[in-house]
């Protein structure tokens, strides 16, 4: 990853606008900041959230609170708890989708 030239910036995530994204079940709320072609997000999933799509985009994802379940299209599944992360590249063999039984809070860079 190459971060484009920019000044030092502090982000107050609580003041960033929040958008709702409905899943197959439940909702996700995103607070998003764009830095060049990099997207930074603070994301919350409601209890019972299940993504409505398979994602092919690369991410670095850190679980801040709660628990996240991620399944890969090839059938593998992973459970991440607070303090755990995953890294996945664009468009490789790792199409994935997320869910959360009890809700979670994430920090995502893509």
């Amino acid at each position: 990853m190459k971060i484009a030239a920019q000044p030092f910036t502090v982000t107050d995530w609580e003041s960033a606008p929040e958008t709702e994204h409905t899943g197959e079940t439940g909702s996700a709320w995103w607070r998003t900041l764009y830095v060049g072609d990099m997207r930074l997000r603070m994301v919350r999933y409601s209890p019972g959230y299940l993504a409505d799509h398979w994602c092919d985009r690369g991410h670095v994802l850190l679980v801040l609170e709660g628990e996240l379940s991620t399944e890969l299209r090839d059938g593998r599944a992973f459970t991440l708890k607070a303090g755990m992360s995953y890294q996945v590249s664009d468009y490789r063999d790792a199409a994935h989708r997320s869910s959360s039984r009890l809700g979670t809070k994430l920090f995502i860079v893509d």
Side-chain angles (χ1 to χ4, degrees):
M1 171 188 335
K2 183 171 176 119
I3 300 175
Q6 66 170 42
F8 180 85
T9 305
V10 173
T11 304
D12 176 3
W13 288 102
E14 290 303 312
S15 67
E18 188 171 65
T19 57
E20 183 175 2
H21 304 263
T22 55
E24 188 172 305
T25 59
S27 291
W29 294 273
W30 298 9
R31 295 181 188 269
T32 307
L33 174 67
Y34 292 93
V35 178
D37 58 358
M38 183 173 54
R39 180 175 66 171
L40 308 168
R41 292 181 288 156
M42 188 72 66
V43 177
R44 290 183 304 118
Y45 290 160
S46 68
Y49 176 79
L50 172 62
D52 65 351
H53 65 282
W54 291 95
C55 181
D56 288 321
R57 188 171 182 162
H59 311 286
V60 175
L61 177 148
L62 172 64
V63 179
L64 299 172
E65 298 173 3
E67 188 172 282
L68 175 73
S69 297
T70 298
E71 73 177 296
L72 304 184
R73 188 176 280 155
D74 69 10
R76 290 179 289 158
F78 302 89
T79 300
L80 288 81
K81 298 179 183 206
M84 297 176 73
S85 66
Y86 73 68
Q87 302 70 231
V88 62
S89 62
D90 290 327
Y91 307 109
R92 301 288 287 181
D93 299 330
H96 54 283
R97 71 175 176 173
S98 296
S99 63
S100 183
R101 189 171 62 83
L102 300 175
T104 191
K105 185 175 183 179
L106 313 168
F107 184 73
I108 304 169
V109 178
D110 50 23

